[in-house]
Amino acid sequence: MDATQRRTPTNIQPAQPEPEAEREAERDGEEERLLTAARAGDAEAFRRLVTPLQPRLRTHCYRMLGSLFDAEDALQDTLVKAWQGLDGFDGRARFGTWLHRIATTTCLNAIRSRSRRALPVDTGFRAAGPSDAAGPPIAESAWLEPFPDTALGLGTASAAPDPQETYELRESVELALVAAWQHLPANQRAALILTDVLGYPARDAASLLDTTTGALNSALQRARAIVAEKVPARSQQATRRQVGDATIDAAVERFRTAMDDADVDAVIGLLRADATWSMPPQPAWFHGHEAIAAFLVANPFHYFRWRSVLTSANGQSALAAYSVLATEPPGTPFQPHAINVLTFAGDGDQIAEVTTFLDVTRRGVAGPDFRAFTATGLFTRFGLPSTLPG
């Protein structure tokens, strides 16, 4: 079994107990009633029909596109097309499958109209010194974007999330895996996600993509080989399971404290010797203790004071970092600055990668090399506070 197959979940489930079968029959009946009403022009029935499916559709679009904002646009386009083409749904497949077909086609069209998204460690340049962190940013549209775990739609108001479902969903949006998928041609990417993540049989996935089963299997073989070369052997979910939640959470808390205290030695002590630190939309990235320490001293810890709150993104631990300029007086509210996504080494609680997604919402000059960035609205999408008290 290759790394991709180890990393990607399937939706194969054990035989259902009778109560669950009854509940599924009830859901099918309710779906049919809502479909009938929606076909008759009842917009509220259509809203009730698609609302439970939106988190999975959004997540599917994100896996395809690597962008939270593009995924939102693709989801809305999908829902509009579904509403306008509802008479074309013949009922031979599940309604959710039909929506995934529309969403996949929408994403394929979007992929073909632009270049792939990536992380700086894939396409940027390794920084020669701290000043490289203040170089001109590349447009946000070039970079992979973080995905809030709250958007995964785990559980409902009446049911707690299933542990295995949580594991698989979080694993399927990890940064390394989503970044690896971006290296694939559009059709290969869709084939791999439909089969190895969503669990569609090859025949059904081929039908969704309007191709033959043979062509799809050939695309899958090539796609799995490419992805297997780019993803770690152990996912972040497997690492957390191996090391333990308490150990990882304690390391995240130590990192948060070290960042807020501007304690360079403490930060470096939590990083693996070959750790990387990148900051999209900046193309430069830093490698190793010495380079990262020099960067922290010369830039973030020199120009700003920090306060961080815990969050989660791409199935990984993350910190929402708020800042004030170092020259501001005490009591100045902290403003959104970046989402720091932490990737842990596969064999312990050391941090292997820090990916800092910049979301600076204000302009100002903190020094001759400082450049402000246009707000991307990440903090709003993550449901985070607009400010923190000073």
Side-chain angles (χ1 to χ4, degrees):
M1 182 179 292
D2 63 30
T4 303
Q5 290 170 312
R6 288 199 304 272
R7 293 290 306 276
T8 52
T10 68
N11 64 358
I12 298 174
Q13 300 294 328
Q16 295 175 329
E18 189 64 27
E20 179 58 29
E22 292 177 359
R23 284 192 291 269
E24 183 170 329
E26 291 177 1
R27 288 193 294 268
D28 289 345
E30 177 65 8
E31 180 179 289
E32 186 59 37
R33 286 190 292 273
L34 291 172
L35 267 171
T36 299
R39 284 193 176 104
D42 188 337
E44 175 59 21
F46 180 77
R47 185 196 66 77
R48 290 175 57 194
L49 188 63
V50 301
T51 293
L53 303 172
Q54 288 189 44
R56 300 303 170 87
L57 289 167
R58 183 185 295 107
T59 304
H60 175 58
C61 293
Y62 172 76
R63 296 186 191 106
M64 289 285 295
L65 301 173
S67 162
L68 171 61
F69 302 99
D70 288 354
E72 290 282 4
D73 289 343
L75 172 60
Q76 294 309 311
D77 286 348
T78 296
L79 297 179
V80 169
K81 292 172 183 175
W83 171 248
Q84 294 174 342
L86 200 56
D87 287 342
F89 175 59
D90 57 17
R92 287 184 293 179
R94 297 296 298 264
F95 183 68
T97 299
W98 184 66
L99 287 178
H100 271 86
R101 182 187 188 116
I102 298 173
T104 300
T105 301
T106 300
C107 290
L108 287 172
N109 291 334
I111 292 168
R112 294 182 182 117
S113 67
R114 61 163 174 76
S115 59
R116 72 177 178 92
R117 289 179 176 268
L119 291 171
V121 293
D122 290 327
T123 61
F125 64 90
R126 181 171 168 177
S131 61
D132 287 335
I138 294 177
E140 284 84 353
S141 60
W143 304 112
L144 198 71
E145 294 171 356
F147 191 78
D149 283 7
T150 53
L152 291 172
L154 290 164
T156 65
S158 59
D162 176 77
Q164 186 61 24
E165 178 188 32
T166 298
Y167 182 99
E168 292 176 354
L169 268 175
R170 287 167 63 90
E171 188 177 56
S172 74
V173 294
E174 289 181 9
L175 278 179
L177 190 56
V178 178
W181 285 331
Q182 306 309 303
H183 289 270
L184 301 175
N187 284 336
Q188 288 184 24
R189 192 185 311 176
L192 190 64
I193 292 171
L194 287 171
T195 55
D196 287 5
V197 179
L198 296 182
Y200 285 102
R203 181 181 60 187
D204 295 345
S207 177
L208 285 170
L209 295 173
D210 292 322
T211 188
T212 65
T213 303
L216 182 124
N217 283 329
S218 179
L220 281 176
Q221 185 175 11
R222 294 191 297 272
R224 287 170 178 155
I226 292 171
V227 172
E229 293 178 353
K230 296 183 179 299
V231 297
R234 179 177 290 172
S235 71
Q236 288 297 288
Q237 305 315 304
T239 296
R240 179 174 279 271
R241 180 172 285 182
Q242 174 72 24
V243 177
D245 289 343
T247 300
I248 296 294
D249 292 344
V252 173
E253 179 59 25
R254 291 196 298 273
F255 184 82
R256 184 193 68 79
T257 300
M259 289 295 293
D260 290 359
D261 291 345
D263 188 336
V264 176
D265 290 339
V267 172
I268 296 302
L270 291 163
L271 304 181
R272 201 168 65 175
D274 61 350
T276 61
W277 197 306
S278 61
M279 300 152 292
Q282 291 279 27
W285 54 278
F286 297 89
H287 178 265
H289 284 179
E290 184 177 351
I292 293 173
F295 153 68
L296 292 172
V297 169
N299 287 283
F301 291 168
H302 178 73
Y303 292 130
F304 301 99
R305 300 194 306 272
W306 298 92
R307 183 169 295 170
S308 306
V309 298
L310 297 174
T311 185
S312 56
N314 294 84
Q316 300 175 220
S317 299
L319 294 168
Y322 294 74
S323 70
V324 296
L325 295 173
T327 54
E328 294 285 352
T332 302
F334 287 77
Q335 304 288 334
H337 195 114
I339 304 290
N340 290 317
V341 181
L342 308 181
T343 299
F344 283 86
D347 55 357
D349 63 350
Q350 284 192 308
I351 297 168
E353 298 176 28
V354 180
T355 308
T356 297
F357 294 96
L358 295 169
D359 187 24
V360 183
T361 58
R362 68 216 180 275
R363 297 188 180 277
V365 177
D369 296 324
F370 177 71
R371 289 177 173 86
F373 298 92
T374 303
T376 59
L378 277 179
F379 278 63
T380 300
R381 298 298 180 98
F382 273 70
L384 293 161
S386 58
T387 62
L388 293 180

